[in-house]
């Protein structure tokens, strides 16, 4: 998917309410900021457009969208957010992970921002509270860090004989500290040990798996992270090559051969963000829109991969799966 840029001028700075701009006949422009790559985000962009459509906005007809993708380079997000502000977009949707909304928030205190983030937005300093976000920002909190503990439990249910579970983290992700704390608590509760590996580049992923092989790792948990999601085929291929059972946060992994995933539906989160953007374009203030929690969770198991790994999936676990890929 190529970046689409619309030559659309707004009649002045983006302020609330936005209904006046609609009355003047100007097509509002949405700034779409994402920490990943455009090709990998295509299904989520489609879900975002669906949310817009539910509120009466269609890209290219009643609204324009300026896309900015950081391609996994989180350090680019502040400049990309500033560029959208300079273009005087009416509203910004900041997606991918917490780095995106933090960059957008740092770039403007007036343009409305709607985020889709996999962490606690209060803990991250994005909003004052879930019910009363305050300021110019609200959104959808996938809260992936809280779900990581559940993924950890599922992995233990799948391979109960494993005493040490490895976790792959991206040190560039600012949520690493929060997620690691959640994981350490879950491991302690279950009497298991946790070993941390880090990677923020493709070569780093290769090196991490070399370490896993050297340590004879029995199980792996991959952190919810945009960089990792965009490189899921590499991760899944390495896990299969070295016969390492792994649990992921997004259904995109088992769809390309990963063993199992558990997490909130990202596509539905993007759709919810689209709905909020539409409401803001009609005049609602972000401060009046509570931060939304996920409405749909998914457990996906790839039975073919399990058989290749020599694993027998417990029937209770199979029964809880939302989808079994055979």
């Amino acid at each position: 998917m190529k970046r689409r840029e619309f030559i659309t001028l707004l009649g002045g700075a983006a302020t609330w309410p936005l209904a006046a701009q609609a009355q003047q006949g100007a097509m509002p422009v949405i700034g779409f900021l994402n920490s990943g790559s455009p090709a990998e985000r295509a299904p989520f962009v489609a879900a975002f457009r669906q949310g817009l459509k539910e509120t009466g906005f269609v890209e290219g007809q009643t609204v324009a969208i300026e896309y900015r993708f950081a391609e996994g380079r989180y350090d680019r997000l502040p400049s990309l957010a500033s560029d959208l502000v300079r273009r005087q977009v009416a509203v910004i949707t900041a997606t991918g992970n917490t780095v995106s909304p933090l960059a957008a928030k740092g770039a403007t205190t007036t343009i409305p921002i709607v985020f889709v983030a996999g962490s606690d937005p209060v803990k991250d300093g994005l909003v004052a509270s879930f019910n009363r976000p305050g300021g110019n920002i609200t959104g959808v909190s996938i809260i992936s860090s809280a779900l990581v503990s559940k993924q950890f439990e599922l992995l233990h249910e799948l391979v109960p004989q494993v005493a040490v579970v490895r976790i792959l983290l991206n040190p560039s992700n600012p949520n690493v500290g929060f997620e690691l704390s959640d994981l350490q608590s879950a491991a302690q509760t279950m009497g298991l040990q946790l070993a941390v590996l880090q990677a923020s580049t493709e070569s780093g992923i290769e090196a991490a798996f070399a370490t896993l092989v050297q340590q004879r790792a029995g199980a792996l948990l991959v952190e919810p992270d945009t960089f990792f999601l965009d490189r899921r085929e590499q991760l899944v291929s390495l896990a299969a090559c070295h016969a390492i059972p792994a649990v992921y946060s997004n259904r995109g992994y088992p769809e390309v051969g990963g063993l199992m995933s558990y997490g909130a539906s990202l596509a539905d989160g993007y759709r919810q963000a689209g709905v909020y953007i539409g409401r803001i374009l009609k005049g609602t203030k972000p401060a009046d829109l509570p931060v939304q929690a996920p409405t749909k969770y998914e457990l996906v198991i790839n039975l073919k991969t399990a058989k290749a790994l020599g694993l027998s999936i417990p029937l209770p676990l199979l029964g809880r799966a939302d989808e079994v890929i055979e």
Side-chain angles (χ1 to χ4, degrees):
M1 181 181 67
K2 297 181 180 179
R3 177 188 298 173
R4 301 180 184 180
E5 295 192 359
F6 296 86
I7 306 174
T8 306
L9 299 178
L10 298 181
T15 56
W16 309 308
L18 297 168
Q21 291 180 341
Q23 291 172 359
Q24 294 170 2
M27 183 184 292
V29 180
I30 300 168
F32 188 97
L33 181 67
N34 188 277
S35 56
S37 60
E40 297 295 341
R41 299 279 87 73
F44 306 135
V45 172
F48 175 72
R49 293 191 187 115
Q50 176 59 36
L52 285 174
K53 187 176 181 180
E54 290 175 18
T55 57
F57 292 95
V58 178
E59 183 181 7
Q61 297 180 22
T62 55
V63 71
I65 304 178
E66 287 271 357
Y67 295 95
R68 298 292 182 273
F69 294 92
E71 305 276 358
R73 293 173 52 190
Y74 298 158
D75 59 316
R76 295 182 58 202
L77 286 165
S79 62
L80 293 175
S82 296
D83 181 52
L84 290 173
V85 172
R86 283 193 298 271
R87 290 176 178 268
Q88 296 185 333
V89 296
V91 59
I92 295 173
T93 179
T95 60
N97 54 26
T98 308
V99 191
S100 293
L102 285 173
K105 185 177 181 181
T108 179
T109 58
T110 56
I111 297 175
I113 299 168
V114 175
F115 62 78
V116 178
S119 62
D120 186 332
V122 177
K123 188 183 294 185
D124 292 335
L126 288 173
V127 297
S129 70
F130 274 72
N131 290 332
R132 298 180 179 275
N136 65 318
I137 185 167
T138 187
V140 183
S141 177
I142 303 299
I143 319 182
S144 295
S145 56
L147 294 175
V148 165
S149 296
K150 180 63 176 178
Q151 296 162 1
F152 190 79
E153 294 172 8
L154 289 169
L155 186 58
H156 180 58
E157 185 176 356
L158 187 61
V159 282
Q161 73 277 12
V162 173
V164 181
V165 174
R166 272 70 178 180
I167 170 102
L168 182 62
L169 302 175
N170 180 356
S172 299
N173 190 323
N175 294 318
V176 164
F178 298 139
E179 291 171 358
L180 186 55
S181 176
D182 291 337
L183 283 165
Q184 287 171 335
S185 296
Q188 202 170 38
T189 300
M190 300 172 69
L192 300 174
Q193 297 180 27
L194 187 67
V196 177
L197 297 170
Q198 297 186 348
S200 57
T201 63
E202 291 184 0
S203 60
I205 292 174
E206 295 279 352
F209 271 87
T211 301
L212 287 170
V213 173
Q214 186 180 27
Q215 296 176 349
R216 297 181 180 180
L220 173 67
L221 184 63
V222 177
E223 171 200 29
D225 181 80
T226 300
F227 172 78
F228 290 154
L229 181 60
D230 285 354
R231 286 152 186 83
R232 59 188 178 275
E233 291 188 359
Q234 179 189 13
L235 286 161
V236 166
S237 176
L238 286 168
C241 179
H242 300 297
I244 300 174
V247 171
Y248 310 91
S249 62
N250 184 276
R251 66 178 297 121
Y253 291 93
E255 287 177 346
V256 296
L259 175 59
M260 182 168 63
S261 70
Y262 178 79
S265 169
L266 275 180
D268 193 59
Y270 276 72
R271 183 197 61 79
Q272 288 177 277
V275 171
Y276 261 16
I277 291 286
R279 292 181 63 181
I280 290 172
L281 289 174
K282 290 182 176 180
T284 304
K285 294 181 180 181
D288 295 333
L289 294 171
V291 174
Q292 293 291 306
T295 59
K296 184 179 180 181
Y297 294 87
E298 301 172 315
L299 172 60
V300 182
I301 298 173
N302 190 313
L303 202 56
K304 182 179 179 181
T305 299
K307 291 178 180 178
L309 292 170
L311 294 174
S312 178
I313 306 294
L315 287 178
L317 186 57
L318 275 177
R320 298 200 303 274
D322 296 283
E323 182 177 351
V324 176
I325 299 173
E326 300 186 60

